[in-house]
Amino acid sequence: KPSALTFKGELAWPAAEEDKVIMNYSMDQTVYFPTLDQYKLSPAISVQAVEGAPVLASVPGTVYSIEEDPQTGTTVTMEIGSGYQAVYGQLKDLTVEEGDTVTKGTVIGYVGTPTKYYSKEGSNLYFAMKKNGEPVDPIAYLP
């Protein structure tokens, strides 16, 4: 359980297909990654989403970094307060830049073509949360 429930239920789902989590957060036991054909820890959730679908900021924050990651593609990390960060991956056509402050529900980009690490899973939004740099379960903060 998260130590601070500051955001419990305050986050909005960042993609429309909230009922289609195709990979769950799991840091206490490994989960199967179909494309990689291996079991590993999952510090995020992956939400099935149509390529080109808008991705919304699930909570207000400031864009901390934008990176190209081999596994998660174009990845936006946002500072959302109290030591928390929200991380959105598998994006394209970003509408934000580093340093931007965004409100909840703002489109920050669109679902991109999945990286080769997710070719079997198909297009999806990678969504992670960190508290003081350590992964926490985003589901605990979503409605």
Side-chain angles (χ1 to χ4, degrees), residues 13-56:
W13 280 91
E17 306 278 347
E18 67 264 13
D19 55 336
K20 297 197 178 146
V21 173
I22 53 174
M23 191 159 305
N24 285 305
Y25 172 93
S26 181
M27 290 303 287
D28 51 358
Q29 58 184 17
T30 57
V31 292
Y32 183 64
F33 283 68
T35 302
L36 301 176
D37 193 26
Q38 63 177 253
Y39 286 84
K40 49 188 242 172
L41 295 174
S42 174
I45 58 172
S46 293
V47 183
Q48 184 177 338
V50 179
E51 190 174 332
V55 175
L56 312 177

Side-chain angles (χ1 to χ4, degrees), residues 75-135:
T75 303
V76 173
T77 300
M78 290 174 52
E79 296 281 359
I80 57 174
S82 305
Y84 285 91
Q85 292 180 320
V87 183
Y88 306 81
Q90 307 277 1
L91 303 179
K92 68 175 182 182
D93 301 336
L94 297 183
T95 59
V96 294
E97 297 176 2
E98 288 183 9
D100 283 1
T101 299
V102 297
T103 54
K104 179 175 173 177
T106 303
V107 175
I108 59 170
Y110 298 86
V111 175
T113 308
T115 62
K116 65 184 181 186
Y117 294 90
Y118 289 89
S119 54
K120 282 200 174 133
E121 290 85 341
S123 57
N124 70 89
L125 171 69
Y126 172 96
F127 183 63
M129 284 182 65
K130 294 179 180 174
K131 164 81 172 170
N132 300 328
E134 293 296 315

